[in-house]
Amino acid sequence: MLDILPQVRGRYTFDDLLSKHVWFRVGGAADVMFRPADLDDLIFFLKEKPSDLEVLTLGMGSNVLIRDKGLKGVVVRLARGFAECYIQEDKLIAGAGTLDRNVAFMAAKAGISGFEFLATIPGTIGGALKMNAGCYDSEIKDILLWVKAVDLQGNLKTYTVEELNYSYRKCGLTERVIFVEACFKASEHKPAKEIYEKIEKFLAQRELTQPTRTKTGGSTFKNPEGKKAWELIDQVGGRGLSFGGACFSEKHCNFLINTGTATAADIETLGELVRQRVFSQLGIELQWEIMRLGEA
Ligand SMILES: Cc1cc2nc3c(=O)[nH]c(=O)nc-3n(C[C@H](O)[C@H](O)[C@H](O)COP(=O)(O)OP(=O)(O)OC[C@H]3O[C@@H](n4cnc5c(N)ncnc54)[C@H](O)[C@@H]3O)c2cc1C
């Protein structure tokens, strides 16, 4: 593999076990993990790599289920070279490798409101851009102005929020890209104390209602129009239901959990079982919010 990979400044690791890098703590290995040194390094890699090499991006792995056979090709992980975050006049610019919570706390310190919800989402800005992450009545699209992204041929592009065609937990961009930077509106000024209090309230609320300290992937299914996925799961007896080392949380039954011994197959099988129950008993087709990646 090393022979066909471009000579980058960043780091390659081989046969890298993805269960070490994702929240669920399951999943096979990536043939190669690439941590680019910076944007130029990423662009160089994409331009020089063999055109048929598969490339996939991972952030904190908080919304993915990596299947047990792992991922073919190269998994790109944006780290230090993509974690810069700063405020410029009425805009906040963040690298795609920045943690959502760091962005929220930076905005709070500067007395800028609108980012509080991000403090409770355990991912990176890149993952949030891809998933249109949101909670407590806010979504990333509400505060976003534009993003910079690189396509898989190494062309750097800028997209406005309108061009990303966002909807609930979905980025509508048809082209496959790696997000590298985002620019947000930072014009809503409030006393920092008020902003910190709102963050504390959100964090406490989440702690109370969700199994945040477990091996999970967050909400398993999207909420169908006008309904709550957890209520449907509850109605078909999904709360606490288990299979192998996987179970649906007692605390919040739209969360699948690895109790410690689960395989990715256990988690996916249990999810599918409940999805089928909801369909056969309630006639509603739940859609996975968690991204299931790799060979089934
Ligand atoms: C306890 C818990 C609570 C959660 N609560 C919420 C919540 O309230 N609201 C919510 O929306 N989500 C929630 N999630 C899900 C998850 O945190 C978000 O979707 C988050 O935005 C994913 O970010 P990530 O960096 O972990 O992305 P990953 O999980 O690593 O990846 C998710 C997807 O984004 C893609 N991706 C990642 N980085 C990039 C990039 N730079 N360019 C292009 N594509 C990229 C990946 O290929 C994958 O398809 C929760 C998860 C957990 C574990």
Side-chain angles (χ1 to χ4, degrees), residues 23 57 59-63 122 124 127-128 130 133-135 169 179 206 218:
W23 267 65
T57 319
M60 284 299 284
S62 62
N63 205 52
T124 60
K130 169 74 180 177
C135 52
R169 299 295 172 268
F179 295 114
R206 193 176 276 268

Side-chain angles (χ1 to χ4, degrees), residues 52-71:
D52 59 348
L53 188 68
E54 286 181 46
V55 175
L56 195 131
T57 319
L58 263 194
M60 284 299 284
S62 62
N63 205 52
V64 293
L65 178 62
I66 310 281
R67 294 189 171 114
D68 297 309
K69 285 188 183 161
L71 297 176

Side-chain angles (χ1 to χ4, degrees), residues 22-23 56-64 76-78 96-97 100 117 120-136 169 177-180 206 210-214 216-219 255 289 291 293:
V22 301
W23 267 65
L56 195 131
T57 319
L58 263 194
M60 284 299 284
S62 62
N63 205 52
V64 293
V76 174
R77 203 133 191 245
L78 304 184
D100 297 342
F117 74 102
T120 72
I121 299 181
T124 60
I125 290 298
L129 293 171
K130 169 74 180 177
M131 301 306 302
N132 187 22
C135 52
Y136 306 118
R169 299 295 172 268
V177 296
I178 300 177
F179 295 114
V180 292
R206 193 176 276 268
Q210 295 181 0
T212 50
R213 290 163 201 272
T214 55
T216 179
S219 295
F255 278 55
E289 178 171 325
M291 309 291 282
L293 306 174

Side-chain angles (χ1 to χ4, degrees), residues 6-12 34-45:
Q7 294 270 318
V8 292
R9 286 179 287 113
R11 193 154 68 96
Y12 291 127
F34 170 43
R35 292 175 183 81
D38 51 30
L39 179 58
D40 287 343
D41 199 33
L42 174 64
I43 290 176
F44 173 78
F45 166 80

Side-chain angles (χ1 to χ4, degrees), residues 145-198:
L145 290 170
W146 51 258
V147 299
K148 283 188 185 164
V150 192
D151 69 20
L152 298 190
Q153 290 70 47
N155 303 301
L156 182 62
K157 301 177 175 185
T158 303
Y159 297 93
T160 62
V161 64
E162 290 81 17
E163 286 171 316
L164 297 173
N165 204 10
Y166 277 120
S167 53
Y168 168 55
R169 299 295 172 268
K170 189 171 176 212
C171 171
L173 198 65
T174 45
E175 209 180 352
R176 284 193 57 207
V177 296
I178 300 177
F179 295 114
V180 292
E181 190 178 270
C183 175
F184 300 101
K185 295 174 218 166
S187 48
E188 202 186 330
H189 296 272
K190 281 195 183 156
K193 185 171 172 286
E194 213 176 289
I195 300 172
Y196 282 122
E197 278 169 7
K198 193 165 174 187

